[in-house]
C-alpha cells in the first residue's frame, strides 16, 4: 500500500494532510481532536500577542460550494498557544507541531518572536501574513515592502524553523515579486493559500455574514483552481529548500493528489474540516492512498510536482 510520509525542513510527518489554521484549532479541546485523528499534525489558530474576541457574529457561513468567514482573528493569545503546544510536544516528543501567529501592529512582530525565541517551543512557526478580516488592516503579503521589512526583523530575532502563510496571488508579476522577497530569507516553508479575501455570499436577499458589510474570506471548492496555481507557480519560483504546504479547496482525496502534483509537500484542509470534523482526515487519507495504489505510486515523491501540461499546437489564422 502507498505510504504518505513527508518532510518539512528536517521534520518528519507520518501523513501529508493537516488542518489549515483557523479550523478546529481554537483551544486545547479542538487541537486534541485533530491530534488524535489521522491528521499528520496540527497548526494552531493564528495567535496574537493578546487574546482577541474577533468580529461580531454571524461571521462564518458554509455553502454548498465552500465557505465565507470574517472571524477577525479570535484567539486565546500567544501565551496560551505556546503553553498548549508545549503540552502536546511533551506527550508526543517525536511529533512536530505548527504554531500560527501574526501581529496586528508593526510593533507586535518583534515582541512575538522575542517571546517565542525565549520559550521552549521546538516546532515550526507559521507567520500569517494574509488575514483578510481585521477591519482597517490590509492583507500584509499584498505589500511586498512590508513583507521584506517584517521578515528582516523576524529572522534577526528568531532562528527556528519559520514559514509564512500567503494570500492568493492572481498576477504573474506578483508571483515573481513575492518569490523574490521570500527567497532572500532562510524560510523553511510557505503555506499557500489563505482564503480569497473580500468575497460576498448572498442568501435570499441578505449577506451571509455581518462584518465588513458582508465581505469575507472565501474558502472551499470555489478556490481550488487558485490554490493549485499558487502552489504550482511558487514551486517553480521559490528556492528548492523552501517546502510548500498547499491549502485551498480540498474536499476529496483527488484534491490532495492535485495539490501534490503541483508541488505541495504537505496539504492543509480547512473548510471541509469545518463541515465534516476531524474524521475528514481518515477519509482523505484513504482516498489519496486508493488513487496512488491504482496508479502504482508507492510514495508522494513518485508524483510530487510532476504535473503535465499538454503540448502547445500552433493555430493558423483563418
Ligand atoms: O480569523 C480570521 O478572520 C481569518 C484569518 Br486570521 C485568516 O488567516 N484567514 C481567514 O480566512 N480568516
Amino acid at each position: 500500500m502507498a505510504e504518505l510520509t513527508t518532510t518539512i525542513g528536517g521534520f518528519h510527518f507520518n501523513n501529508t494532510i493537516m488542518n489549515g489554521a483557523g479550523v478546529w484549532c481554537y483551544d486545547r479541546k479542538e487541537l486534541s481532536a485533530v491530534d488524535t485523528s489521522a491528521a499528520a499534525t496540527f497548526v494552531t489558530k493564528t495567535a496574537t500577542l493578546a487574546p482577541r474576541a474577533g468580529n461580531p457574529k454571524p461571521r462564518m457561513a458554509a455553502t454548498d460550494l465552500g465557505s465565507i468567514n470574517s472571524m477577525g482573528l479570535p484567539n486565546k493569545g500567544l501565551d496560551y498557544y505556546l503553553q498548549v503546544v508545549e503540552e502536546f510536544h511533551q506527550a508526543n516528543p517525536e511529533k512536530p507541531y505548527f504554531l500560527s501567529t501574526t501581529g496586528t501592529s508593526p510593533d507586535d512582530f518583534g515582541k512575538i518572536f522575542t517571546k517565542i525565541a525565549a520559550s521552549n517551543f521546538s516546532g515550526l512557526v507559521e507567520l500569517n501574513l494574509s488575514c483578510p478580516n481585521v477591519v482597517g488592516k490590509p492583507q500584509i503579503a499584498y505589500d511586498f515592502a512590508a513583507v521584506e521589512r517584517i521578515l528582516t526583523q523576524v529572522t534577526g530575532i528568531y532562528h527556528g524553523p519559520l514559514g509564512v502563510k500567503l494570500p492568493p496571488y492572481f498576477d504573474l508579476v506578483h508571483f515573481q515579486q513575492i518569490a523574490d522577497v521570500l527567497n532572500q530569507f532562510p524560510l523553511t516553508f510557505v503555506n499557500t493559500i489563505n482564503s480569497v479575501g473580500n468575497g460576498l455570499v448572498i442568501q435570499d436577499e441578505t449577506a451571509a455574514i455581518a462584518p465588513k458589510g458582508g465581505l469575507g474570506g472565501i474558502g472551499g471548492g470555489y478556490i481550488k483552481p487558485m490554490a493549485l496555481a499558487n502552489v504550482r507557480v511558487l514551486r517553480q519560483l521559490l528556492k528548492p529548500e523552501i517546502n510548500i504546504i498547499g491549502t485551498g479547496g480540498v474536499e476529496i482525496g483527488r484534491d490532495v493528489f492535485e495539490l501534490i502534483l503541483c508541488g505541495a509537500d504537505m496539504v492543509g484542509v480547512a473548510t471541509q474540516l469545518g463541515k465534516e470534523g476531524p474524521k475528514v482526515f481518515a477519509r482523505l487519507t484513504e482516498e489519496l492512498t486508493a488513487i496512488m495504489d491504482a496508479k502504482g505510486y508507492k510514495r508522494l515523491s513518485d508524483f510530487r510536482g510532476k504535473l503535465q501540461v499538454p503540448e502547445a499546437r500552433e493555430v493558423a489564422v483563418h
Side-chain angles (χ1 to χ4, degrees), residues 21 45-46 69-74 128 130-133 165 194-195 217:
K45 175 64 186 171
T46 299
N69 88 84
S70 185
M71 303 299 288
L73 214 34
N128 187 350
S130 48
C131 177
N133 301 326
K165 180 79 175 268
N194 207 319
S195 56

Side-chain angles (χ1 to χ4, degrees), residues 4-315:
L4 307 184
T5 58
T6 192
T7 59
I8 300 285
F11 293 89
H12 292 267
F13 299 89
N14 64 6
N15 192 352
T16 194
I17 310 170
M18 63 183 288
N19 68 309
V23 183
W24 277 86
C25 57
Y26 180 72
D27 58 14
R28 191 180 273 105
K29 192 165 163 230
E30 290 189 359
L31 289 166
S32 179
V34 176
D35 190 50
T36 52
S37 76
T41 182
F42 64 65
V43 58
T44 67
K45 175 64 186 171
T46 299
T48 50
L49 268 178
R52 287 171 56 92
N55 292 339
K57 293 183 175 179
R59 58 191 186 181
M60 204 289 286
T63 71
D64 289 348
L65 296 177
S67 65
I68 183 166
N69 88 84
S70 185
M71 303 299 288
L73 214 34
N75 76 94
K76 293 171 90 67
L78 181 61
D79 289 340
Y80 175 87
Y81 296 103
L82 279 173
Q83 167 68 34
V84 167
V85 174
E86 177 59 16
E87 287 170 23
F88 280 99
H89 175 67
Q90 296 285 336
N92 302 285
E94 76 300 334
K95 188 170 176 178
Y97 294 103
F98 291 81
L99 170 76
S100 174
T101 187
T102 197
T104 54
S105 80
D107 287 349
D108 287 356
F109 295 93
K111 292 178 190 159
I112 288 169
F113 280 90
T114 301
K115 200 166 225 192
I116 298 173
S119 76
N120 291 327
F121 182 70
S122 60
L124 301 99
V125 180
E126 180 173 289
L127 175 57
N128 187 350
L129 298 179
S130 48
C131 177
N133 301 326
V134 179
V135 177
K137 306 276 179 194
Q139 283 171 272
I140 298 168
Y142 287 139
D143 177 344
F144 304 112
V147 174
E148 186 168 352
R149 227 171 22 245
I150 290 168
L151 288 180
T152 300
Q153 185 189 14
V154 164
T155 55
I157 297 170
Y158 184 69
H159 307 294
L162 175 71
V164 289
K165 180 79 175 268
L166 297 174
Y169 296 98
F170 302 97
D171 188 292
L172 293 182
V173 171
H174 296 162
F175 282 117
Q176 189 65 59
Q177 286 174 323
I178 190 67
D180 287 347
V181 171
L182 299 177
N183 281 335
Q184 295 172 40
F185 296 97
L187 293 179
T188 301
F189 69 96
V190 303
N191 189 331
T192 177
I193 59 176
N194 207 319
S195 56
V196 174
N198 299 306
L200 181 60
V201 170
I202 299 173
Q203 292 166 341
D204 190 17
E205 296 184 20
T206 306
I209 58 172
K212 288 175 71 180
L215 301 188
I218 303 295
Y222 299 108
I223 71 167
K224 189 177 89 166
M226 279 65 90
L228 293 174
N230 276 260
V231 170
R232 165 92 169 149
V233 179
L234 288 174
R235 182 62 289 156
Q236 291 166 331
L237 297 179
L238 290 173
K239 298 184 287 192
E241 61 266 34
I242 301 181
N243 287 126
I244 295 188
I245 304 176
T247 305
V250 172
E251 294 175 340
I252 57 174
R254 171 77 201 180
D255 304 324
V256 180
F257 179 81
E258 290 181 10
L259 283 162
I260 297 168
L261 204 58
C262 289
D265 297 288
M266 204 148 180
V267 170
V269 186
T271 292
Q272 192 62 32
L273 169 59
K275 288 182 177 181
E276 207 172 320
K279 67 181 190 315
V280 73
F281 295 110
R283 176 176 67 76
L284 293 171
T285 300
E286 270 175 40
E287 290 171 3
L288 175 62
T289 306
I291 292 168
M292 290 173 64
D293 287 343
K295 290 176 175 284
Y297 293 141
K298 301 234 170 315
R299 54 195 72 78
L300 301 175
S301 56
D302 290 346
F303 65 98
R304 179 181 291 124
K306 295 189 178 163
L307 176 71
Q308 294 175 44
V309 177
E311 199 181 324
R313 283 178 277 123
E314 295 302 325
V315 180

